[in-house]
Amino acid sequence: MSELISLTKDGEVAVITVNNPPVNALSPGVPEGIASAIEAVSKDEDVKAVVLIGSGSTFIAGADIKEFGKVTGGEKKGGSLLPLLLAIEDCPKPTIAAIHGTAFGGGLEVAMAFHYRVAAASAQVGQPEVKLGIIPGAAGTQRLPRLAGVEKAVEMCAFGEPVKAKAAFECGIVDRIVEGDLLAGAVAFAREIIASGVTPQKSRERNDKLGDEQTNAPIFAAARDQARKTRRGQTAPVAAIDAVEAATKLSFNEGCKRESELFQQCLFGDQSKALIHVFFGEREVAKIPDVPKGTPTIGINKAAVVGAGTMGGGITMNYANAGIPVLLKETSQEFLDRGLATIRKNYSNSVKKGRFSQEVMDHRMALITPTLTYDGFEEADIVTEAVFEGMDLKKQVFGELDKVCKPGAIIASNTSTLNIDEIASVTSRPEFVIGHHYFSPANVMRLLEIVRGKATSKEVIATSMALSKKLKKVGVLVGNCRGFVGNRMLAPYGREAQFLVEEGAAPQDVDGALYKFGLAMGPIAMGDLAGLDVGWRIRKEYKHLEDPTVRHPLVADRLCEMGRFGQKTGAGWYRYDENRKPIPDPEVDKLIEQASAEAGIERRQIGEQEIVERTMYALVNEGAKILEEGYALRAVDIDIIYINGYGFPAWRGGPMWFADTVGVKNVYDRISEFHAQHGKVWEPAPLLKTLAEQDRTFADFDKGKITATA
Ligand code: 3HC
Ligand code: NAI
């Protein structure tokens, strides 16, 4: 019929195939093509039933997300899929959607407009729209409760998690699981329906699973409560719940109207724009201009980790979780046992919470081989070093690894600050040395900063990027500067948080404002969690390099001098009770007031807006410098780093996207004011100035619309 849609016949069963790689999205032409194929077969007397299937690796994975930006940007008019789906559903002959891969979003909505759904055992269905800041827009919130019941529909529409074929069958979304060839199974199912002579029921006409006010009210209340807690600040999950609730209170047509209103509100809101930016950003970061797709990679079949501390243990779990056998080396039996005990405890907790079975845990533990020697390292394809942070020790370990590792093995360092080139310099193979900067807890946090040294080979970079995917991480390539991207930006951010405290805000005011902004945790509480002593030691070591003409925060050092290192000592900026709840401490207030007096600062009331601007714009200004210096490839790479490694709210799109939404010029003007008030630490990044002058955004920078700087 068209390149996107083909129509064939298998006897009396018509087969419509969607062919829109890579994911058969509902791009312009696809829904229309399906509808006209349905219209054609409706008139064809030889056809008694219809099967819809996707070509390639998946059924329809949803609406074409690229189209949303065109609609909100005013480039084209948005249209609803719903009229086409209603026409499809009205087909007088039985229609069957055959699902493999993923039937997501609009894909599931299409499938639910078909009379029956059969699925391959490995298939998944879902309404993940909320992850893009929107809700289902083509009756998903109205049909799903009719097929799967209200509770399942609320869960799927409000939280967006996929449902596997078996569970979809159990709750009524799918009518049959097909083992073996899906198309053959779907055609056989179609023949059974023809033979049975039953008139298929349209899902929009089913009301038997919609429950009543009494049974539904607690379901909606619980979902709203969960959304408040787990999707803090986000509008789409609440809108999705409202839309499903409408299904239980209004007719199908009226419910669809309500869904459409809520969909439009979400689509044109800032959150969906930000989350769509993040969706494409997570895929964009995999694209490295000089390391194209198809660059040869090294097979990673065996791994080794050096150091079984906080990070080494988590990194070891990442390999075991991915099914890669891993050696774990320590310096003493005691440390090795301690490291393994932590790994075991983490896995046991997951088993207790029902995340996976004891059998899975046993299998993962069996993949980990503890050792006190380098025996077996000669077989590893990759070694990740996670020993204490110190150049001399890192050099010693890399020298040893260079001797024991086979030629062609990757040697990665998890250093958070040290120079990768200097570490690589002690080896005979700097092209195989790279930074793999995981974030604590390494088995949980999704970010992996991949640090490119000056000699690191393209093959090693391509392998690292592919490995990050295998380990279920988001790998972002960064350059080799102090703190790389994430931690380098954290320095001015933390500095401003402390300055605000010295100028008059209480620690809980600063944390509170940023928590309200959407961060998982404020910067002061984060310092207490990470341990204040780490920064204190570094500051003492590098005291001689400090610029005496700029202001430095005073309180953190004082807290450390008092032995208040944060949560680990039960007290830092806050006191902690046995549940690790932070409690503001009058002793700290006194200390802060003293520090303010010593620095000659007159304390004042500081509002939430200033707290957000001072801290967020400090991130943005440093991010702009990093971008200009080339240590991040794109602004969106910085956004993805902050969202996945630092608890930045995805619905704000990351710090650089946030600056775009505020307006780069506004950010620049405010930074210029801070510069005048607070001195050279606030010198605006030249790139920021250029963007502001040319009325451009960081997104424009990424699109190559601007390259020159002031
Ligand atoms: N629209 C446009 N492009 C899409 C897309 C979509 N729905 N889904 C995936 N893509 C693109 C990706 O950007 C990527 O492009 P690239 O190669 O140029 O970077 C390519 O397809 C492959 O995607 P992945 O790298 O993500 O491939 P995976 O195999 O890892 O994952 C997937 C496949 C599970 C389908 C995943 O892509 C996914 O979750 N996609 C989004 C699904 C979704 O959110 N659907 C709902 C859309 S909104 C909607 O339907 C509204 C409706 O209610 C009206
Ligand atoms: P840690 O102190 O918890 O663990 C380090 C482990 O290395 C200790 O168990 C020690 O016994 C072991 N070790 C020391 N020398 C060794 C050797 N020669 N051979 C084998 N094992 C040896 O430290 P942590 O926090 O795990 O940090 C490790 C590295 O990860 C550091 O470079 C750090 O900068 C980096 N990092 C730390 C993060 C954190 O939040 N803790 C986050 C990201 C990176």
Side-chain angles (χ1 to χ4, degrees):
M1 292 196 64
S2 72
E3 271 183 19
L4 297 171
I5 304 294
S6 68
L7 178 58
T8 54
K9 278 193 220 166
D10 183 340
E12 54 192 358
V13 180
V15 177
I16 304 171
T17 307
V18 183
N19 182 26
N20 185 25
V23 296
N24 289 324
L26 294 165
S27 312
V30 173
E32 296 81 358
I34 299 171
S36 45
I38 291 279
E39 200 189 333
V41 295
S42 299
K43 292 182 196 145
D44 185 338
E45 291 196 350
D46 295 339
V47 172
K48 302 279 182 267
V50 190
V51 167
L52 173 74
I53 195 162
S55 67
S57 61
T58 186
F59 187 72
I60 300 163
D64 186 337
I65 301 168
K66 284 195 263 349
E67 296 295 312
F68 292 138
K70 296 182 192 161
V71 173
T72 53
E75 214 178 295
K76 67 185 279 191
K77 234 176 131 254
S80 171
L81 201 58
L82 189 58
L84 286 178
L85 296 192
L86 294 178
I88 289 171
E89 192 176 24
D90 286 338
C91 178
K93 299 168 185 180
T95 57
I96 296 110
I99 301 168
H100 71 303
T102 50
F104 279 175
L108 180 56
E109 289 171 310
V110 169
M112 290 192 295
F114 275 61
H115 303 139
Y116 301 96
R117 285 145 299 279
V118 299
S122 57
Q124 293 188 315
V125 302
Q127 299 284 178
E129 286 89 341
V130 282
K131 297 187 179 175
L132 300 170
I134 54 176
I135 66 165
T141 61
Q142 306 302 301
R143 289 191 205 272
L144 206 47
R146 288 177 159 81
L147 287 175
V150 174
E151 192 162 14
K152 194 75 193 165
V154 170
E155 180 195 312
M156 287 175 69
C157 295
F159 303 104
E161 294 309 322
V163 170
K164 293 196 173 123
K166 187 164 169 274
F169 172 71
E170 282 160 6
C171 71
I173 301 171
V174 162
D175 300 288
R176 179 177 291 175
I177 307 272
V178 174
E179 303 292 345
D181 185 73
L182 178 65
L183 182 58
V187 169
F189 182 86
R191 293 212 164 98
E192 282 173 38
I193 299 290
I194 298 168
S196 73
V198 293
T199 310
Q201 197 180 13
K202 296 171 188 173
S203 59
R204 71 175 193 257
E205 288 171 359
R206 283 185 56 180
N207 292 321
D208 53 303
K209 288 193 170 180
L210 288 178
D212 56 31
E213 175 80 34
Q214 213 182 347
T215 51
N216 290 337
I219 296 173
F220 293 121
R224 288 193 172 99
D225 195 43
Q226 192 187 340
R228 234 183 334 267
K229 286 187 190 133
T230 64
R231 304 290 188 277
R232 191 166 54 85
Q234 297 187 37
T235 48
V238 180
I241 299 168
D242 290 351
V244 178
E245 190 170 28
T248 66
K249 297 193 164 156
L250 304 174
S251 68
F252 180 82
N253 286 345
E254 288 301 313
C256 286
K257 269 191 210 147
R258 181 74 189 121
E259 180 195 77
S260 170
E261 283 163 15
L262 291 162
F263 175 83
Q264 293 295 326
Q265 279 167 18
C266 289
L267 181 65
F268 282 89
D270 283 344
Q271 295 197 1
S272 87
K273 289 175 197 150
L275 286 163
I276 289 172
H277 162 73
V278 174
F279 175 84
F280 287 116
E282 284 199 357
R283 284 144 185 93
E284 189 69 16
V285 293
K287 293 168 191 157
I288 301 161
D290 70 330
V291 186
K293 233 181 180 175
T295 301
T297 54
I298 298 162
I300 304 290
N301 301 312
K302 284 187 179 175
V305 173
V306 188
T310 311
M311 296 306 289
I315 296 166
T316 302
M317 290 173 75
N318 290 335
Y319 284 115
N321 296 349
I324 300 169
V326 53
L327 289 162
L328 176 58
K329 181 185 177 293
E330 254 296 344
T331 47
S332 76
Q333 192 61 46
E334 184 194 343
F335 294 155
L336 197 52
D337 291 345
R338 189 182 58 190
L340 275 173
T342 306
I343 293 176
R344 200 171 287 117
K345 195 171 111 215
N346 286 337
Y347 277 145
S348 290
N349 284 340
S350 296
V351 172
K352 271 188 214 136
K353 287 182 186 153
R355 290 207 185 109
F356 48 75
S357 65
Q358 182 65 42
E359 204 186 343
V360 169
M361 167 174 165
D362 294 343
H363 176 66
R364 291 182 186 179
M365 284 304 298
L367 286 170
I368 302 170
T369 306
T371 176
L372 294 172
T373 71
Y374 285 119
D375 290 350
F377 271 57
E378 69 286 355
E379 287 182 15
D381 302 302
I382 184 164
V383 179
T384 312
E385 163 278 310
V387 303
F388 302 126
E389 186 82 337
M391 185 52 92
D392 292 344
L393 178 62
K394 301 272 185 200
K395 281 183 169 170
Q396 181 206 316
V397 171
F398 269 70
E400 290 163 5
L401 288 171
D402 191 36
K403 291 202 187 78
V404 296
C405 290
K406 67 181 176 189
I410 297 176
I411 316 182
S413 173
N414 183 50
T415 177
S416 37
T417 49
L418 300 173
N419 186 326
I420 292 294
D421 292 332
E422 196 177 337
I423 296 175
S425 71
V426 300
T427 71
S428 60
R429 50 172 121 186
E431 65 278 24
F432 285 96
V433 175
I434 192 162
H436 280 188
H437 184 208
Y438 292 87
F439 289 72
S440 182
N443 53 314
V444 176
M445 298 299 283
R446 281 183 83 215
L447 178 63
L448 175 60
E449 271 189 338
I450 296 173
V451 190
R452 177 180 202 161
K454 65 173 188 283
T456 310
S457 77
K458 293 181 182 180
E459 198 182 0
V460 169
I461 293 169
T463 306
S464 299
M465 295 302 292
L467 179 68
S468 64
K469 213 168 176 187
K470 196 161 180 191
L471 301 186
K472 297 207 163 67
K473 302 285 169 195
V474 184
V476 185
L477 188 70
V478 298
N480 180 29
C481 58
R482 194 172 166 78
F484 313 125
V485 170
N487 285 350
R488 175 171 159 185
M489 285 166 67
L490 205 59
Y493 168 74
R495 175 199 73 210
E496 287 307 309
Q498 293 182 58
F499 281 172
L500 285 160
V501 167
E502 291 177 6
E503 289 166 33
Q508 61 272 24
D509 295 339
V510 174
D511 284 343
L514 289 163
Y515 181 77
K516 203 162 144 197
F517 177 82
L519 282 150
M521 189 182 249
I524 306 273
M526 192 167 85
D528 272 0
L529 178 68
L532 302 176
D533 53 321
V534 183
W536 183 44
R537 287 212 185 90
I538 296 172
R539 282 192 295 279
K540 280 199 287 191
E541 201 176 324
Y542 293 98
K543 193 95 193 149
H544 58 287
L545 298 178
E546 261 179 18
D547 181 348
T549 66
V550 301
R551 176 181 162 198
H552 294 281
L554 302 169
V555 182
D557 287 356
R558 304 265 163 90
L559 291 168
C560 289
E561 283 154 19
M562 293 161 71
R564 299 178 68 123
F565 293 168
Q567 286 198 18
K568 60 177 143 185
T569 55
W573 287 94
Y574 300 97
R575 270 189 309 114
Y576 291 87
D577 64 12
E578 59 286 0
N579 300 320
R580 298 215 198 152
K581 188 172 172 285
I583 303 161
D585 189 342
E587 203 183 337
V588 175
D589 293 342
K590 246 188 264 151
L591 189 75
I592 293 168
E593 278 164 27
Q594 260 172 25
S596 308
E598 271 172 46
I601 295 165
E602 197 175 320
R603 293 178 65 76
R604 62 190 167 93
Q605 285 278 338
I606 299 180
E608 281 182 1
Q609 189 179 343
E610 183 177 345
I611 293 173
V612 169
E613 286 173 346
R614 288 269 294 274
T615 49
M616 287 299 123
Y617 297 175
L619 280 181
V620 173
N621 203 33
E622 195 65 27
K625 288 179 192 164
I626 287 173
L627 207 50
E628 183 162 38
E629 291 164 19
Y631 291 110
L633 278 170
R634 291 151 293 231
V636 69
D637 291 38
I638 298 177
D639 290 335
I640 297 303
I641 286 174
Y642 259 76
I643 289 166
N644 291 288
Y646 295 87
F648 198 97
W651 51 270
R652 288 201 188 266
M656 311 315 274
W657 181 265
F658 172 65
D660 281 357
T661 59
V662 173
V664 173
K665 168 112 178 43
N666 295 332
V667 174
Y668 171 74
D669 288 347
R670 195 74 176 111
I671 287 180
S672 301
E673 282 171 32
F674 294 152
H675 188 204
Q677 283 163 18
H678 303 284
K680 67 180 174 191
V681 291
W682 273 106
E683 176 130 18
L687 174 62
L688 193 72
K689 184 165 185 273
T690 309
L691 293 177
E693 281 169 357
Q694 298 185 9
D695 198 18
R696 292 289 194 179
T697 60
F698 286 105
D700 289 335
F701 179 84
D702 282 1
K703 286 183 204 136
K705 287 192 183 160
I706 172 151
T707 44
T709 58

